[in-house]
Amino acid sequence: MSEKIRVKNPLVEIDGDEMARIIWHFIKEKLIKPFVDVDIRYYDLSITNRDRTDDQITVDAAYAIREAGVGVKCATITPNAARVEEYKLKKQWKSPNGTIRSILDGTVFRKPIIMKNIPPMVRRWKKPIIIGRHAYGDIYKNVELVVDGPGRAELVFIPDGGGEKRVLNIHEFKCPGVIMGMHNTEDSVRSFAKACINYALGEKQDLWFGAKDTISKKYHGFFRDIFADEAEKVKDRFQENGIHYRYFLIDDAVAQVMKSEGGMLWACMNYDGDVMSDMVATGFGSLGLMASVLVSPDGKYEFEAAHGTVVRHYYEHLKGNPTSTNSIASIFAWTGALSKRGDIDNTPDVLKFAETLENAVISTVESGIMTKDLMLIADPPVDKYALTEEFLDAVAGRLKKAL
Ligand code: NAP
Ligand code: MG
């Protein structure tokens, strides 16, 4: 290899915390910087820097992605009470992913990375099952009430500007019970449907959507109708790309996904996405093999690993003990971001580099060199696992040869 591959436009890099941050820096030093010349807009979202800037750095990073169009993010701590104590924080800062997601109005897609010797638990799965989760409303923004005795519950809507009040009877309680109210909005569901459609077109994969509209004729029916409406608008583009939109009852969707070979984008309502993404991630092997991308309806992208900061490994690392942390999902965050950059900038050599790096990772694992989490599920079995840096060095060696 002679000179570095030039990336035409800037890339936003968001740094993070703990073990994820350690592997992040190894990846940059060993797999990116030696080969690629890219104008990085760097934002340090470590918990200490978020605390120092009163979380302004998170907002700035999200706006930087809006401007540049593509970002890549390391896993970050979402502080709870214990973390406030551990890092002596001013307060329990909000989830950075939540902040960035709401500024970009984005949808999160999770895609497993597949290797021949890491077989999925479901034998038929051959291609990735990508899950798109609607990240607004339903039970995640609900109100609930435990009632302690007989009484009547009503659903009431009072229009602004003085239209007629609408009242529905929920239940006449004869004994104690429980009530819940939840909502969603047309804007949010439509943005979600559009983000899923764009992603399906980008990946050239069928789009599936499931809901329970036989039971919930209005609520779930609302989602079904918006999806159908948005899919109808892009019918020709789906046809040109040889892909299809399919609506299922959610229970049928689950059955069809299990029986399928994979290879579809499965758009899920909020709760379904929460539950099913964990099932699919586990079914494909390891959290270390799950890539994640946030896509805004106007086509801005943020790539990351689905896993967190791998805190247990970090504490071992701090004690000076060797670790075997899987860096694959973080490497794929970089390759995802670089290939999106190459795609938008129309620079095939950047796309080619990202593909070469992904192939170097896959062939390293397929040759039997892998971290401990994968060793435990590899077939054929391997008898030895690589340490964090040993794995990265093996990938770097293959990458150099391939370029
Ligand atoms: P986690 O960091 O994903 O780790 C959970 C466990 O999964 C690990 O302890 C490890 O199991 C295994 N694991 C995950 N990634 C791995 C990898 N790359 N290589 C090997 N094993 C891996 O989740 P968590 O412990 O629930 O959360 C830790 C911190 O991360 C929290 O502060 C949370 O707020 C944050 N978090 C951030 C994001 C994000 O930024 N996107 C997402 C989730 C969580 P063993 O310990 O058994 O080896
Ligand atoms: Mg979940």
Side-chain angles (χ1 to χ4, degrees):
M1 207 197 71
S2 47
E3 47 191 73
K4 290 190 191 181
I5 295 149
R6 248 193 68 70
V7 180
K8 203 156 139 197
N9 285 303
L11 181 65
V12 176
E13 178 195 346
I14 299 180
D15 210 340
D17 290 302
E18 301 188 319
M19 200 61 204
R21 185 181 178 103
I22 307 276
I23 57 180
W24 195 256
H25 287 258
F26 285 148
I27 292 169
K28 259 174 46 178
E29 294 308 319
K30 293 176 192 286
L31 302 177
I32 307 293
K33 275 192 185 168
F35 309 103
V36 182
D37 178 12
V38 50
D39 172 9
I40 296 269
R41 306 281 157 89
Y42 179 81
Y43 290 81
D44 180 5
L45 263 61
S46 63
I47 187 66
T48 40
N49 200 38
R50 278 179 278 149
D51 197 52
R52 192 181 63 75
T53 62
D54 291 336
D55 212 23
Q56 183 59 37
I57 189 77
T58 307
V59 175
D60 293 347
Y63 281 98
I65 294 176
R66 268 206 353 200
E67 196 187 309
V70 186
V72 58
K73 179 179 172 291
C74 175
T76 46
I77 291 170
T78 296
N80 54 18
R83 297 297 209 158
V84 171
E85 180 60 29
E86 181 181 3
Y87 285 92
K88 305 281 174 258
L89 305 177
K90 293 181 206 157
K91 62 183 260 198
Q92 206 168 310
W93 302 106
K94 280 196 273 184
S95 151
N97 283 8
T99 302
I100 296 169
R101 196 160 60 214
S102 71
I103 290 174
L104 294 177
D105 181 25
T107 300
V108 175
F109 299 95
R110 286 173 117 197
K111 180 180 176 181
I113 300 154
I114 295 187
M115 326 230 168
K116 284 201 197 82
N117 54 340
I118 310 295
M121 302 200 185
V122 179
R123 263 176 294 155
R124 272 173 166 269
W125 289 354
K126 302 257 173 337
K127 301 179 210 157
I129 294 165
I130 304 166
I131 294 217
R133 173 182 169 191
H134 186 211
Y136 176 81
D138 303 348
I139 63 163
Y140 302 85
K141 286 230 182 285
N142 71 352
V143 288
E144 310 184 331
L145 188 67
V146 174
V147 297
D148 46 14
R152 192 154 64 91
E154 290 181 336
L155 188 63
V156 183
F157 176 71
I158 304 155
D160 282 348
E164 199 174 330
K165 194 158 102 173
R166 289 161 69 190
V167 182
L168 288 176
N169 193 35
I170 296 173
H171 191 63
E172 304 270 355
F173 284 93
K174 305 277 182 263
C175 66
V178 65
I179 316 166
M180 172 167 80
M182 63 183 198
H183 78 281
N184 224 297
T185 68
E186 180 174 343
D187 282 353
S188 175
V189 180
R190 222 172 261 286
S191 280
F192 174 55
K194 281 184 187 153
C196 291
I197 284 167
N198 287 339
Y199 193 82
L201 281 166
E203 296 269 316
K204 299 206 192 325
Q205 302 224 309
D206 286 351
L207 172 60
W208 290 16
F209 177 63
K212 195 73 181 179
D213 64 320
T214 45
I215 301 299
S216 170
K217 295 192 165 54
K218 300 226 163 94
Y219 200 107
H220 286 226
F222 188 84
F223 280 75
R224 175 205 59 212
D225 291 348
I226 289 175
F227 261 80
D229 185 41
E230 292 296 332
E232 178 63 26
K233 290 182 196 162
V234 293
K235 208 171 60 184
D236 295 345
R237 288 176 65 205
F238 267 53
Q239 208 166 21
E240 281 159 27
N241 284 282
I243 59 175
H244 302 91
Y245 169 67
R246 295 177 70 186
Y247 174 77
F248 298 85
L249 271 177
I250 184 65
D251 31 2
D252 189 25
V254 172
Q256 296 301 328
V257 163
M258 297 306 285
K259 284 196 292 186
S260 77
E261 287 202 327
M264 78 292 286
L265 164 59
W266 183 11
C268 290
M269 288 175 69
N270 210 344
Y271 177 80
D272 298 337
D274 187 347
V275 177
M276 290 304 160
S277 61
D278 284 13
M279 186 200 68
V280 169
T282 311
F284 274 107
S286 161
L287 257 181
L289 290 183
M290 189 58 83
S292 174
V293 56
L294 175 74
V295 186
S296 77
D298 56 346
K300 315 288 184 205
Y301 295 80
E302 182 206 54
F303 294 83
E304 63 170 339
H307 63 75
T309 62
V310 212
V311 56
R312 199 185 57 77
H313 296 212
Y314 182 59
Y315 294 151
E316 289 305 312
H317 172 82
L318 288 180
K319 282 189 251 167
N321 294 331
T323 56
S324 180
T325 311
N326 188 342
S327 51
I328 294 176
S330 299
I331 299 172
F332 273 63
W334 279 94
T335 56
L338 287 172
S339 43
K340 185 52 75 181
R341 205 53 289 172
D343 196 15
I344 296 173
D345 301 344
N346 201 8
T347 46
D349 55 336
V350 176
L351 280 167
K352 184 83 196 342
F353 171 77
E355 192 188 314
T356 310
L357 175 48
E358 289 185 357
N359 288 336
V361 169
I362 291 170
S363 71
T364 301
V365 175
E366 290 181 350
S367 78
I369 301 171
M370 62 190 77
T371 46
K372 192 175 179 183
D373 56 319
L374 299 184
M375 183 193 87
L376 298 172
I377 52 175
D379 184 20
V382 289
D383 50 16
K384 174 169 168 288
Y385 62 82
L387 300 178
T388 308
E389 274 191 88
E390 286 172 351
F391 178 77
L392 283 155
D393 289 333
V395 173
R398 276 168 196 266
L399 177 63
K400 272 185 206 127
K401 267 194 217 134
L403 283 170

